[in-house]
Amino acid sequence: MRILVTGKNGQLGQSINKLINIETKIENNPSSNEFIFVGREELDLSNNSSIINYFDNHDKFDIVINSAAYTAVDQAEEEQNLTNQVNHLAVKQLAEIAKEQKAKLIHISTDYVFDGESDKPYIETDKTNPINVYGKTKLAGEKALQAIMSTNAIIIRTSWLYSEYGNNFVSTMLMLGKERDELNVVNDQIGSPTYATDLAGAILEIIKSKEFREENQATQFYHYSNEGEISWYEFTKEIFKIAKIDCKVIPITTRQYPTPAQRPKNTLMNKAKIAKTFSVGISDWKESLNTCVSILRKNK
Ligand SMILES: NC(=O)c1ccc[n+]([C@@H]2O[C@H](COP(=O)([O-])OP(=O)(O)OC[C@H]3O[C@@H](n4cnc5c(N)ncnc54)[C@H](OP(=O)(O)O)[C@@H]3O)[C@@H](O)[C@H]2O)c1
């Protein structure tokens, strides 16, 4: 199988690559799958003709995993056209190409398609109502994909993604915690963090499953995050505890920390569907955070 992964320099792209390298070493290769990782140098999602050119000049793929996205939530408020191009129009184009090539498409979306006003964890069929540009463009991408591929695609919504790669909440807090004596962190936005390696593992499990490989199945949504229910304040406290950083964390409200993009208040997601369909394990958030922080400290 030829499997294309977009966003090779992103958190999820690098995490998928890491797991494939580990699997290849353990099994002493012979995976029948050929993974091709591309970044914006090879396949620029902000440019229609770059997308066409890339697929015109490469053999067909069996699976496309779209882990690339415009993810700068605050900047998106300023760069609406670019955000829409990458998160919506490029997804539409990828879906058209995947359909034409008879490839399966695994697309990653976000908890920010919800408005965060629910008092229980969101299930896949709950009403969407994004409250910022990033969420609106990701929702438009989901809808465009669904309209083109009523079969052979899956959309995985995830939340609060972090990893040992690039800048993310965990790496930023580790840096700030060492520089400062105290830190104000928002305590009234609730969600579940997701270690990108766990999500990458779930995607690789899905690809191997017979449920996924069956042809012409209806396109499905799945929710995936780690297990747990916390605020950014609680997340920060745990990061410092694990890393033994002595920095006082002060809980504040969203109102006290205004940002260009509005954030949903409570985006907990119910993961029962993905766990049941693909027998995917859902790790506890603290366990995964421990793993990531120890890798980050070793890499220092
Ligand atoms: N991060 C989160 O907290 C979060 C939460 C919920 C859902 N998600 C979703 O999860 C998925 C993976 O997120 P992530 O955290 O791994 O994102 P990330 O680390 O920001 O990586 C995104 C990748 O997309 C690439 N990209 C951006 N614009 C592009 C363009 N015009 N052409 C080609 N590539 C482009 C970036 O390339 P460069 O490296 O060249 O910039 C980057 O490598 C995304 O769909 C995201 O929407 C993320």
Side-chain angles (χ1 to χ4, degrees), residues 105-263:
L105 178 58
I106 299 180
H107 175 64
I108 313 303
S109 193
T110 172
D111 56 332
Y112 278 18
V113 297
F114 298 114
D115 61 18
E117 296 299 324
S118 175
D119 52 7
K120 48 182 190 315
Y122 285 101
I123 60 169
E124 288 78 358
T125 48
D126 277 340
K127 189 175 167 289
T128 51
N129 183 29
I131 57 172
N132 56 39
V133 169
Y134 168 74
K136 285 179 185 159
T137 59
K138 291 292 287 185
L139 178 62
E142 290 184 355
K143 290 195 165 157
L145 184 159
Q146 264 187 305
I148 294 158
M149 295 181 80
S150 56
T151 57
N152 290 326
I154 69 175
I155 297 169
I156 305 175
R157 295 189 184 124
T158 190
S159 60
W160 299 22
L161 209 59
Y162 69 92
S163 68
E164 54 271 32
Y165 306 111
N167 295 324
N168 56 70
F169 188 80
V170 174
S171 58
T172 304
M173 288 300 137
L174 287 174
M175 186 188 70
L176 292 177
K178 278 178 219 145
E179 287 170 7
R180 300 194 192 166
D181 295 330
E182 58 177 50
L183 211 54
N184 294 334
V185 185
V186 169
N187 194 29
D188 57 358
Q189 287 168 32
I190 307 296
S192 301
T194 307
Y195 180 34
T197 298
D198 291 336
L199 175 57
I203 293 171
L204 295 181
E205 280 303 312
I206 289 172
I207 288 174
K208 286 179 202 155
S209 70
K210 74 169 186 347
E211 289 78 10
F212 176 72
R213 292 202 177 194
E214 267 169 38
E215 285 304 314
N216 300 324
Q217 292 208 61
T219 289
Q220 294 287 335
F221 282 87
Y222 297 98
H223 288 173
Y224 184 90
S225 69
N226 284 134
E227 209 56 82
E229 178 177 340
I230 55 168
S231 69
W232 294 109
Y233 161 78
E234 289 163 311
F235 196 20
T236 310
K237 293 266 286 183
E238 190 65 23
I239 294 167
F240 290 171
K241 187 175 155 199
I242 296 169
K244 299 188 175 59
I245 289 175
D246 188 18
C247 170
K248 189 173 175 205
V249 190
I250 302 162
I252 59 165
T253 61
T254 302
R255 262 176 187 229
Q256 291 172 286
Y257 187 74
T259 49
Q262 239 189 298
R263 292 334 195 244

Side-chain angles (χ1 to χ4, degrees), residues 10-12 40 43-46 68-69 71 108 134 138 158 161:
Q11 301 193 77
L12 181 58
R40 73 171 78 215
L43 174 57
D44 182 357
L45 297 176
S46 69
T71 57
I108 313 303
Y134 168 74
K138 291 292 287 185
T158 190
L161 209 59

